[in-house]
Amino acid sequence: MDRFRKATPKRRKIIASVAKYNDHRNDLIIDFDNRCGYCNDIDVWRTVWFELDHFVPKKYLKTIKDTDYSNLVYACRSCNNSKRAHWPTGNEFIHNQNNEGFIDPCEDNYDDQFYRCPDGKIMYHTELGKWMYYKLKFHKPQHEIIYRIEQLDSLIEDCENLLSVIDSQILKDRMLILYREYRNYTKQLSSI
Ligand SMILES: [Zn+2]
């Protein structure tokens, strides 16, 4: 099994006040490295699917403002819609309690809750991870498909680089197989 993420995203200390929380979108895309903070899906194949989530839902904000950068997460629509206003502690400063609730994806221990199976599926390590897994619907198929597409894309790029220096039929045959797999996954993604 693989680590869930290669690196923990970190928000810069952006304190400039903005009129609408969406004004932070471009900065969040940079800080989250074009990935959903929760499921780690990359946005390349689904740009319009990515939104801004309030980590502590708006409903529970008392002192934190809805435009505060420190409370925003770049998130795919699936995670954002699944998370909704779920916040079991009801307190803006207590993120989780008794294995229920959330961990800010910018915390290093977020990665300890999950791992990645060789086939691309997300799984949980801990009870709190299990709670988040079901609340965020990490079992949905696109997480596995996007992970596989990203891996194939990187393999295809490696083959293309090699082919620019070595003319090899074995490599060309291998690339054809990779392209077919890639096409198969992108088709699956467009149908869900
Ligand atoms: Zn997501």
Side-chain angles (χ1 to χ4, degrees):
M1 63 184 144
D2 287 338
R3 265 195 76 73
F4 184 54
R5 305 185 292 193
K6 285 206 178 90
T8 305
K10 296 289 173 192
R11 294 182 197 90
R12 286 162 291 165
K13 295 218 177 322
I14 294 179
I15 49 167
S17 67
V18 290
K20 303 181 298 308
Y21 70 86
N22 228 21
D23 295 340
H24 284 310
R25 186 178 171 95
N26 289 342
D27 279 321
L28 285 161
I29 290 174
I30 294 168
D31 287 355
F32 282 86
D33 198 19
N34 291 84
R35 290 175 184 280
C36 170
Y38 297 108
C39 68
N40 206 39
D41 284 0
I42 196 161
D43 65 7
V44 176
W45 293 282
R46 299 197 132 179
T47 317
V48 295
W49 260 67
F50 279 67
E51 303 171 344
L52 302 190
D53 168 63
H54 287 85
F55 176 62
V56 179
K58 283 200 257 188
K59 186 179 164 185
Y60 297 103
L61 298 181
K62 292 204 165 58
T63 56
I64 301 168
K65 286 195 289 218
D66 89 315
T67 52
D68 280 0
Y69 192 74
S70 59
N71 189 45
L72 295 172
V73 176
Y74 188 55
C76 74
R77 188 179 296 165
S78 171
C79 289
N80 196 18
N81 282 349
S82 306
K83 183 166 166 278
R84 307 177 82 159
H86 291 300
W87 196 257
T89 70
N91 180 318
E92 64 181 337
F93 295 113
I94 303 174
H95 300 167
N96 58 78
Q97 212 165 34
N98 304 325
N99 293 324
E100 291 190 354
F102 295 94
I103 296 175
D104 183 338
C106 294
E107 299 283 341
D108 290 321
N109 66 345
Y110 186 89
D111 292 309
D112 301 333
Q113 315 307 314
F114 309 102
Y115 64 94
R116 190 70 76 158
C117 299
D119 63 4
K121 285 193 181 72
I122 302 170
M123 279 310 298
Y124 48 82
H125 269 309
T126 64
E127 283 301 309
L128 179 57
K130 182 178 177 182
W131 191 92
M132 286 193 279
Y133 175 96
Y134 285 107
K135 276 289 174 287
L136 294 167
K137 300 185 180 156
F138 280 176
H139 46 82
K140 287 173 86 174
Q142 69 265 31
H143 303 308
E144 181 184 341
I145 294 171
I146 290 172
Y147 182 82
R148 299 294 289 268
I149 292 176
E150 198 184 352
Q151 285 199 318
L152 284 169
D153 194 54
S154 140
L155 281 174
I156 289 170
E157 197 180 330
D158 289 348
C159 283
E160 274 173 353
N161 287 338
L162 272 176
L163 262 183
S164 67
V165 284
I166 315 163
D167 183 23
S168 152
Q169 192 54 47
I170 296 167
L171 205 52
K172 284 177 186 165
D173 293 344
R174 171 91 182 113
M175 265 186 85
L176 191 60
I177 295 165
L178 290 175
Y179 273 128
R180 283 187 179 139
E181 259 186 81
Y182 183 91
R183 199 167 137 71
N184 178 26
Y185 281 122
T186 51
K187 270 188 183 167
Q188 283 182 41
L189 191 61
S190 61
S191 66
I192 55 171

